[in-house]
Amino acid sequence: MAATPYARAQGHGQSALRTALLDIAGELLATEGPEALSMRRIASAAGCSTTVLYTLFGGKDGLVEALYVEGFSRFSRRFEAVREEDPLYRLYALGHAYRATALAARNYYDLMFGRPISGWEPSPEAMAVAQETFGHLERAVTACLEQGRIPSGDPKVIAESLWSVAHGVVSLELAGHLSDPDAVFTAAITAIGFGFAPTEEEDR
């Protein structure tokens, strides 16, 4: 008999088990919708008892909150791995990191930005995790302003403008609306990213 997802993850420690259960819950949410997010349904898919889920997450709301936080944590880890020194090119690299993470963690994406669970709202602590994740982008914009790679502007407004473009293109890609997602995404973030760069007159 093949080992259940729970049995496979259990041997790797509680952190791996927790992640495996969240991935299963995220997959159910993506494929079957919010009604599939019952503790009994998730436990059945994982091959464990509901007691395991209640022990780790406290209940359905705790599990949904954990899904939300895990999604943003995955983005944060990918952003932290970007090592581009030039701040303007760092913004460009962060854009590509955003897309790569969204495609790899698409089961979390709708929950992070669409809130499809009726009656659920992220806690202030969870919102703080989300805001800190995109602090990576704002800090990169601030570095561009300080080094003259972007001439002027409010770093938060610029960062949120860049995020809006990346998010919009990725959302269209995930919905299957783009014929050439690679080309469209590269063109979009190049246009807006370098649109903030100084003109030749401003460089003088």
Side-chain angles (χ1 to χ4, degrees), residues 86-92 94 134-147 149-150 155 159 162:
D86 183 289
L88 192 59
Y89 284 92
R90 180 174 176 78
L91 284 177
Y92 185 79
L94 287 170
F134 291 100
H136 292 281
L137 184 58
E138 190 172 338
R139 288 190 289 273
V141 169
T142 298
C144 283
L145 291 166
E146 291 174 348
Q147 296 182 31
R149 302 291 279 135
I150 293 175
L162 294 168

Side-chain angles (χ1 to χ4, degrees), residues 82-102:
V82 172
R83 293 288 181 260
E84 177 62 56
E85 292 298 326
D86 183 289
L88 192 59
Y89 284 92
R90 180 174 176 78
L91 284 177
Y92 185 79
L94 287 170
H96 280 284
Y98 181 91
R99 177 180 179 233
T101 310

